[in-house]
Amino acid sequence: MSTITTSDGAQIYFKDWGTGQPVVFSHGWPLSADAFEDQMFFLASQGYRCIAHDRRGHGRSSQPWDGNDLDTYADDLAALVKALNLRNAVHIGHSTGGGEVARYIGRHGTERVAKAVLIGAIPPLMLKTEANPGGTPIEAFDQLRTAVLADRSQFWKELSLPFYGYNRPGAKISEGVRESFWLQGMLAGLPASYFCIKAFSETDLTEDLGRFDVPTLILHGDDDQIVPIGASAMLSSKLIKGATLKVYRGAPHGMCTTLKDQVNAELLAFIK
């Protein structure tokens, strides 16, 4: 397996497909690099070098107790970029991975970054606060924590329905996609499954978005039941200078899977 070792000893697994300009993918919770396989295969076939890592605690990476926070996730991403000596890279982040990309740029700058894409991403802040009245109440995230501790295997099965919009009338459900979601979720360790909830819900990425100085594309479904568009993409698109926002009508959180052909074409056009 291809891995790098971080400064605190965590082993981070990554896939590295194709040759050309690097495109680096950061996945969402509780998934792994596998969530981006459709995009990676497509772009690698188009002449790009596609790299995706399993975030610490997730997938095939090691499962440390510590470091399940966005600062460490961003530093792990920086370590991967440095180890592979990636330059002029396009960074694509979905959901929590979008927060990882934002914090990476906030902490490490854009010297090695050509462009950025945020898909169904968590920035600027998911949690409802006085300053962020459109956010999601803390009780919703407490319920996630309770469900993860009670029976996370069953919870991943249930979460796959709203994640892909399979709970909507007339939705064409793929049991295979649901099983893949469950499998990826079960590969995530319990500490990461639990602690990452605080990371993705309570981390304020407003200042990080202000540090973006590269072309940025924001894709979001207006029927995203996991990261509601109003408190995320609609705000991020105003905070990132010159960002392009594309709203997918009726699209769910897992649009990289359910609308993969559309997303792939969008990514290729933007990267080109």
Side-chain angles (χ1 to χ4, degrees):
M1 291 210 309
S2 303
T3 62
I4 62 154
T5 304
T6 64
S7 57
D8 69 346
Q11 295 245 306
I12 305 296
Y13 165 87
F14 66 94
K15 305 180 187 195
D16 190 347
W17 298 351
T19 55
Q21 182 182 5
V23 183
V24 184
F25 295 86
S26 294
H27 66 78
W29 170 92
L31 303 175
S32 71
D34 295 0
F36 271 122
E37 281 201 333
D38 290 321
Q39 285 67 49
M40 290 181 69
F41 189 87
F42 173 77
L43 289 171
S45 302
Q46 297 289 328
Y48 294 92
R49 180 183 178 189
C50 293
I51 296 148
H53 63 294
D54 290 352
R55 186 172 300 118
R56 69 167 55 211
H58 297 67
R60 290 138 292 205
S61 292
S62 50
Q63 300 184 3
W65 181 260
D66 295 317
N68 294 290
D69 59 82
L70 274 164
D71 284 357
T72 309
Y73 295 161
D75 292 350
D76 289 349
L77 176 57
L80 177 67
V81 166
K82 193 174 176 188
L84 299 180
N85 194 26
L86 304 180
R87 298 186 181 278
N88 195 35
V90 179
H91 280 268
I92 300 175
H94 173 250
S95 197
T96 300
E100 178 177 290
V101 169
R103 184 49 54 94
Y104 167 71
I105 288 174
R107 280 169 80 82
H108 300 277
T110 55
E111 187 190 345
R112 293 172 178 264
V113 181
K115 296 180 178 180
V117 184
L118 305 179
I119 307 174
I122 60 170
L125 175 63
M126 282 197 75
L127 184 68
K128 181 178 182 175
T129 63
E130 276 185 32
N132 188 45
T136 303
I138 189 74
E139 290 77 14
F141 302 112
D142 289 339
Q143 285 170 7
L144 293 183
R145 280 183 274 264
T146 299
V148 163
L149 290 180
D151 183 350
R152 86 179 189 281
S153 179
Q154 181 61 32
F155 176 57
W156 300 144
K157 286 190 172 185
E158 292 167 3
L159 185 61
S160 67
L161 291 168
F163 195 97
Y164 297 106
Y166 290 161
N167 58 345
R168 295 306 196 210
K172 188 183 173 190
I173 297 171
S174 165
E175 289 302 331
V177 165
R178 293 189 66 199
E179 286 171 12
S180 176
F181 181 93
W182 173 86
L183 177 61
Q184 289 177 67
M186 289 309 294
L187 281 172
L190 185 51
S193 300
Y194 185 87
F195 294 133
C196 188
I197 296 169
K198 182 180 177 72
F200 71 64
S201 63
E202 296 181 39
T203 307
D204 191 338
L205 296 152
T206 305
E207 286 185 19
D208 304 89
L209 298 179
R211 296 196 179 106
F212 278 56
D213 58 1
V214 294
T216 303
L217 174 65
I218 299 172
L219 305 179
H220 215 107
D222 67 3
D223 191 32
D224 191 322
Q225 300 170 68
I226 309 298
V227 181
I229 191 171
S232 54
M234 303 311 286
L235 299 179
S236 293
S237 60
K238 294 181 182 127
L239 291 164
I240 298 173
K241 215 175 297 169
T244 300
L245 170 65
K246 299 228 172 151
V247 178
Y248 282 41
R249 291 198 57 177
H253 191 57
M255 59 196 263
C256 290
T257 300
T258 63
L259 298 171
K260 62 185 176 186
D261 293 341
Q262 205 175 332
V263 170
N264 289 352
E266 197 95 63
L267 293 177
L268 181 62
F270 177 70
I271 293 168
K272 273 184 171 172

